[in-house]
Amino acid sequence: AQRVTQPEKLLSVFKGAPVELKCNYSYSGSPELFWYVQYSRQRLQLLLRHISRESIKGFTADLNKGETSFHLKKPFAQEEDSAMYYCALKRPGNTPLVFGKGTRLSVIA
Amino acid sequence: DSGVTQTPKHLITATGQRVTLRCSPRSGDLSVYWYQQSLDQGLQFLIQYYNGEERAKGNILERFSAQQFPDLHSELNLSSLELGDSALYFCASSSRTGLNEKLFFGSGTQLSVL
């Protein structure tokens, strides 16, 4: 069965510092990987997906199949980035998203 | 606003009771997912419905059941409630499945079992 691991429950960084939220997955096939974000008092929402190879709000994530990782990175953290971040995996086809346990990012001014 | 509506926002009940959580998906979305969010387990997938039919089942207890109605709204029924069932229950909907599927989440129902 597929599994998503986010090793850090809480990550605190200073404003302007680089940030990397780690995500590792276990799945033998070709998954789709996503990052979802939940800001304070807001709904969970899609941040980015690996298939789009996009940068959203300065965040990027590269799928590394060799290391089975999909780490989320941003070169300069902002206070408004403080939120709960979830990595998620989807197997091909009509299958549900499987989420990691989440990492709470706290950006300190 | 994602367009997904969940009611009620908060629910306080006692052990042994039964509750029903309701979800209205975005207009036109055929797929509805239910997730349970707790501090120690994160977001756990419970069950998925597509156009009225059950499509996938996750870590859903036998005491829990769900259904999707012809108007596409969904209900999650939790019975014989235990203290450990206290959690935030999310519903999400999507208009397509498979590649590039994007989930839109509701604001959740906070269930407290006392």
Side-chain angles (χ1 to χ4, degrees), chain A residues 1 16 18-19 25 38 49 59-60 67 82 88 91:
Chain A
V19 60
Y25 66 90
Q38 188 174 26
R49 60 190 112 187
F59 283 98
T60 59
E67 295 183 358
S82 295
R91 289 178 289 127

Side-chain angles (χ1 to χ4, degrees), chain A residues 27-43:
Chain A
Y27 177 62
S28 56
S30 294
E32 292 178 62
L33 275 299
F34 306 80
W35 277 98
Y36 276 75
V37 62
Q38 188 174 26
Y39 300 102
S40 179
R41 295 195 179 91
Q42 292 189 29
R43 301 166 189 233

Side-chain angles (χ1 to χ4, degrees), chain A residues 43 49 86 90 94 97, chain B residues 2 4 35 37 55 100-101:
Chain A
R43 301 166 189 233
R49 60 190 112 187
Y86 290 94
K90 189 177 183 312
N94 188 12
L97 269 179
Chain B
S2 67
V4 179
Y35 286 87
Q37 185 182 44
R55 270 295 173 94
N100 274 333
E101 182 177 15

Side-chain angles (χ1 to χ4, degrees), chain A residues 16-105:
Chain A
V19 60
E20 180 179 66
L21 298 165
K22 290 186 168 47
C23 172
N24 289 90
Y25 66 90
S26 61
Y27 177 62
S28 56
S30 294
E32 292 178 62
L33 275 299
F34 306 80
W35 277 98
Y36 276 75
V37 62
Q38 188 174 26
Y39 300 102
S40 179
R41 295 195 179 91
Q42 292 189 29
R43 301 166 189 233
L44 194 62
Q45 58 187 289
L46 177 67
L47 179 62
L48 53 80
R49 60 190 112 187
H50 92 272
I51 202 163
S52 302
R53 302 184 68 81
E54 57 203 344
S55 172
I56 304 292
K57 298 184 179 182
F59 283 98
T60 59
D62 290 318
L63 177 59
N64 186 324
K65 290 188 178 180
E67 295 183 358
T68 58
S69 69
F70 188 56
H71 303 327
L72 184 67
K73 300 176 184 178
K74 184 169 182 176
F76 308 103
Q78 303 299 314
E79 287 179 76
E80 55 265 30
D81 296 328
S82 295
M84 194 75 181
Y85 290 81
Y86 290 94
C87 182
L89 176 152
K90 189 177 183 312
R91 289 178 289 127
N94 188 12
T95 58
L97 269 179
V98 174
F99 287 86
K101 292 188 179 182
T103 297
R104 180 167 297 283
L105 174 65

Side-chain angles (χ1 to χ4, degrees), chain B residues 11-83:
Chain B
L11 200 47
I12 302 174
T13 188
T15 54
Q17 295 298 305
R18 173 192 166 94
V19 296
T20 297
L21 313 183
R22 183 188 167 99
C23 170
S24 294
R26 290 189 323 156
S27 177
D29 283 0
L30 300 178
S31 230
V32 169
Y33 300 80
W34 285 98
Y35 286 87
Q36 180 192 56
Q37 185 182 44
S38 58
L39 281 173
D40 55 342
Q41 294 297 320
L43 269 169
Q44 294 274 304
F45 167 68
L46 295 178
I47 198 164
Q48 177 202 1
Y49 279 84
Y50 181 82
N51 202 19
E53 293 189 5
E54 182 184 303
R55 270 295 173 94
K57 229 172 184 178
N59 299 323
I60 188 166
L61 300 170
E62 285 192 14
R63 300 183 284 108
F64 296 0
S65 65
Q67 54 184 326
Q68 187 179 28
F69 295 85
D71 66 352
L72 301 177
H73 91 271
S74 178
E75 291 181 357
L76 179 66
N77 300 296
L78 316 176
S79 61
S80 303
L81 285 168
E82 302 175 359
L83 296 177

